[in-house]
Amino acid sequence: AAAAKRGLADAQSAMKHERVERGEAQRTARALEDERNALRVQLARDTEERRRVEGASIKTLEQLKLNDEARWAAERALQAEQRKLQELEAEHSRSATAVAERLAAADRRAGEAGAS
């Protein structure tokens, strides 16, 4: 009878130990599930943030490209205006030279007319 009681007590102790271990396993499983869910939420946030940053980067690159194109267009326009200015300055120089030559010729003629 004592052996049976001891066997019963051992069985009850084993069952209690098993319940405790099962409870710990369930708590561990819930904690792991919570951690997994938290990681999924964080992953979703990180993915959304990455998409937002990538979108902003694309917009920035597009703006840089537009700015670069505008800069090159302005550079080409400036070069065209510089060429036009050089042409006008050359034309002005030729006109000034021609006027100076005509004045000199008129002065010579006036001097010759006055001398005669």
Side-chain angles (χ1 to χ4, degrees), residues 96-110:
T97 301
V99 166
E101 288 172 356
R102 282 193 215 140
L103 282 174
D107 285 344
R108 271 194 317 275
R109 283 194 303 272

Side-chain angles (χ1 to χ4, degrees), residues 46-94:
D46 291 349
T47 300
E48 183 57 34
E49 178 66 13
R50 188 190 81 240
R51 286 184 184 139
R52 189 185 63 73
V53 168
E54 287 173 352
S57 295
I58 289 170
K59 286 181 183 177
T60 299
L61 289 174
E62 289 170 350
Q63 187 61 47
L64 287 173
K65 183 179 177 184
L66 290 174
N67 291 349
D68 196 48
E69 289 171 359
R71 183 179 65 82
W72 281 110
E75 181 70 27
R76 286 188 301 275
L78 174 63
Q79 289 174 357
E81 288 299 317
Q82 287 173 333
R83 280 190 301 275
K84 190 187 296 184
L85 175 62
Q86 288 172 347
E87 290 168 5
L88 289 173
E89 286 175 339
E91 184 179 326
H92 174 72
S93 178
R94 286 189 301 271

Side-chain angles (χ1 to χ4, degrees), residues 2-73:
K5 280 186 179 183
R6 224 181 5 254
L8 179 60
D10 287 346
Q12 288 175 337
S13 175
M15 285 176 54
K16 182 178 178 183
H17 181 69
E18 201 175 284
R19 277 195 306 271
V20 168
E21 284 183 352
R22 188 172 42 239
E24 286 177 14
Q26 288 172 344
R27 282 189 295 280
T28 300
R30 280 193 299 271
L32 290 173
E33 180 69 21
D34 290 345
E35 184 178 349
R36 185 181 68 169
N37 289 336
L39 288 172
R40 284 181 177 165
V41 168
Q42 185 62 45
L43 178 62
R45 283 186 195 135
D46 291 349
T47 300
E48 183 57 34
E49 178 66 13
R50 188 190 81 240
R51 286 184 184 139
R52 189 185 63 73
V53 168
E54 287 173 352
S57 295
I58 289 170
K59 286 181 183 177
T60 299
L61 289 174
E62 289 170 350
Q63 187 61 47
L64 287 173
K65 183 179 177 184
L66 290 174
N67 291 349
D68 196 48
E69 289 171 359
R71 183 179 65 82
W72 281 110

